Every structure is written in C-alpha cells, then in structure tokens.
Amino acid sequence: MQKRARTLLVWLHVVTSVGWLSQAVALLALLLHGMSTGDVSAFRMARHLDHEVLAIMANTSAFSGFMLSATTPWGYFRHWWVLAKFVITVSQLYVGIFILSGNLQAAIEGHLSAWMPVGTSLMIGAIAFQAWLSVAKPWGRTPWTDPKVKLPTASAATFVVALVVPVADFAISLWRGNPMPLLMLITVIAYSVRRAARARNRSSDASGRGSAARPARRGAAAPGPR
C-alpha cells in the first residue's frame, strides 16, 4: 500500500509538472500573439488560462514535489539537485502569483509589459531544467548532510493524505472562484516541521551512539567504583 500510494504521488507530480510546462508554452504563444497584433482577446485568454488552469497545475506540481521530498529519504536540503528544485519552484510561484498575474490583468486594460513574455520564457526554461535535475540528479550531497542519519519513508496514510489534499483544494477553488492552495500550504509546512524535528532527534541519537564507549568484551569484569 505504501509503495502504491507513493507511486501515485510521483505520477501526480509528473502529470502536473508536464501540465504546468505545456500551459506555460500556451501562455507564451498567446502573449506573443497579443503583443504583435494588439488583440486584447489574446490577453483575456492568457489571463483565463493562467487563472483557471496553469495556477492549479503549478500549485499541485509544487505541492506534490515538496511532499515527495518531505516524505522520502531525499529530504529538502540533503542533496544539491533537490535543493535547487526547491529554490526554483518557490521562485517560480512567487513570480507567477505576484508579478505575472498582475501584468496580465494590466495588459487587458491596455498596459503592456515586455516582462510578460520574458518571465514566461524563464518559467518554461526553469521547468525544463527541473526535469533534467530529476533525471540526472547531479552534484551529490550538500555539506551539511549527516551521513549517519537516513530519513525514513512516510507511511501509506501520509501519501494518501498528500493525494487527497490537492483534490480538496481544487474543490475549494471552484467554490470560491479563485485558486487558493491553502490546505496544500498548511500540509507542507506542518509535515515539514514535524519531519525536521524527527530528523534532529535522529541526528542527536546517532551522535550519542557514535560517542558512547564501546561495549565490554565478553567475560570482562565490570569496572569497580573509584
């Protein structure tokens, strides 16, 4: 059950990441068409695509990727390629939510910005680079990784929750009429904090075992009190 649930989460991450990439390419095509022809309907379509499809794909892709890191021995900061994906994903979400969406609305009102196609192109390149990172897994471990500690894989129930939460957030978004990954954000933060606390305990236990005295040899007399 655990392996199947984890495989489903990997599948969800791959599908939504491909969806994010394809929607970003479509968004770039609409932006270039609108800026070259002055067709405002292209910007309306781009705004609708970004708000109704791309945002959901991006949020679910980011959430499933974060949860795969948090629920498996990979962790967030133990390997350079995972850390790079983490930083790139957070940057993409910030640019998409706080910069691109606002510029799309401004374009509908006649205020065009050259940063829209540039930012979208960077988004496409970043997603493609993340795909390469997932396949190549370059650069090894980070210097602050404790080789004595191996993080365990989460339970099947945790993977099931990670699969259900995006569906619940999607239902809430439909109800509110606005993409809002609130449950996904809470789940990632709560589980990551819990996982970090457990990792610190494991690291402390490993350090304690490493510094403890060796067990006495068989048959050796116990040391008497001084």
Side-chain angles (χ1 to χ4, degrees):
M1 179 64 181
Q2 180 197 52
K3 185 177 180 180
R4 291 180 180 178
R6 177 184 174 182
T7 301
L8 282 175
L9 186 60
V10 173
W11 168 82
L12 179 64
H13 180 62
V14 172
V15 169
T16 52
S17 297
V18 172
W20 189 2
L21 176 61
S22 62
Q23 298 305 316
V25 173
L27 183 66
L28 178 61
L30 288 171
L31 290 174
L32 292 177
H33 174 74
M35 296 185 74
S36 61
T37 63
D39 187 0
V40 180
S41 62
F43 298 123
R44 292 196 182 97
M45 293 176 63
R47 179 73 176 90
H48 182 78
L49 180 68
D50 175 68
H51 191 269
E52 301 295 338
V53 184
L54 189 148
I56 296 171
M57 291 291 178
N59 292 332
T60 307
S61 173
F63 170 76
S64 56
F66 291 157
M67 289 303 294
L68 282 171
S69 296
T71 56
T72 61
W74 289 112
Y76 285 124
F77 311 112
R78 297 171 63 85
H79 301 267
W80 283 114
W81 72 274
V82 179
L83 179 58
K85 287 191 65 176
F86 178 83
V87 173
I88 292 172
T89 300
V90 172
S91 301
Q92 285 177 295
L93 292 176
Y94 175 82
V95 171
I97 295 172
F98 297 103
I99 298 178
L100 181 60
S101 294
N103 283 329
L104 286 174
Q105 184 60 41
I108 296 175
E109 299 169 358
H111 306 288
L112 302 183
S113 172
W115 285 107
M116 289 191 300
V118 172
T120 306
S121 299
L122 290 175
M123 181 188 299
I124 295 170
I127 299 172
F129 180 63
Q130 286 175 294
W132 176 80
L133 288 174
S134 297
V135 174
K137 297 179 176 58
W139 312 322
R141 294 183 176 182
T142 58
W144 51 83
T145 300
D146 190 347
K148 300 177 183 178
V149 178
K150 181 179 180 180
L151 300 177
T153 301
S155 64
T158 302
F159 287 110
V160 171
V161 170
L163 290 166
V164 172
V165 165
V167 178
D169 259 341
F170 178 66
I172 295 173
S173 298
L174 290 178
W175 173 59
R176 293 181 57 88
N178 185 45
M180 184 178 298
L182 182 60
L183 294 179
M184 288 189 278
L185 182 62
I186 293 174
T187 302
V188 166
I189 293 175
Y191 189 82
S192 299
V193 170
R194 179 184 178 189
R195 182 68 173 255
R198 288 186 174 183
R200 285 194 297 269
N201 292 336
R202 288 177 178 272
S203 180
S204 300
D205 293 342
S207 299
R209 287 194 299 268
S211 60
R214 294 180 179 179
R217 290 174 298 174
R218 182 179 299 177
R226 293 184 179 179

